Amino acid sequence: MLKKITRKKIGAPGGNFAIVASKYNARYVNAMLRAAKAEILRAGGTVQMVRVPGAYEIPVVAARLARASRLTPHASPLSAILCLGVILRGATTHAQHIGEAVSCALVQIQI
């Protein structure tokens, strides 16, 4: 049986968020993007969106945003960078390789 999800009251007034989302597999990514943007705005935050061709390009843009946020004194720093992409598994190991590469790169940026 499905359990009803209750929303907690969250707030992010003054929060500045960036969302990096892939264009590939747009059917799925766009739904996640709309939901994330709506929740951030509902919580009182601001959203900057950047679209990239695919999941593999997400870490490059995330690193650039993180660096710019840290080094630009006149801009408000980012509270978080959300990275959205969908990698569909096929008959080959391509999805596994892309997923591991993207995950490792994002971990390095976080560190």
Side-chain angles (χ1 to χ4, degrees), residues 41-91:
L41 294 176
R42 187 175 70 82
T46 61
V47 180
Q48 170 189 357
M49 293 187 301
V50 181
R51 298 302 294 258
V52 296
Y56 198 72
E57 292 80 15
I58 289 173
V60 175
V61 175
R64 183 172 235 169
L65 287 168
R67 194 175 307 110
S69 175
R70 195 178 74 239
L71 299 176
T72 309
H74 63 278
S76 59
L78 291 173
S79 303
I81 301 170
L82 285 73
C83 300
L84 305 176
V86 173
I87 303 167
L88 299 176
R89 186 180 309 173

Side-chain angles (χ1 to χ4, degrees), residues 55-56 59 87 94-108:
Y56 198 72
I87 303 167
H94 181 261
Q96 180 180 347
H97 294 298
I98 296 296
E100 287 177 7
V102 171
S103 297
C104 288
L106 290 173
V107 167
Q108 290 301 313

Side-chain angles (χ1 to χ4, degrees), residues 8-22:
K8 293 182 179 179
K9 186 80 173 171
I10 58 169
N16 187 20
F17 298 86
I19 301 177
V20 182
S22 70

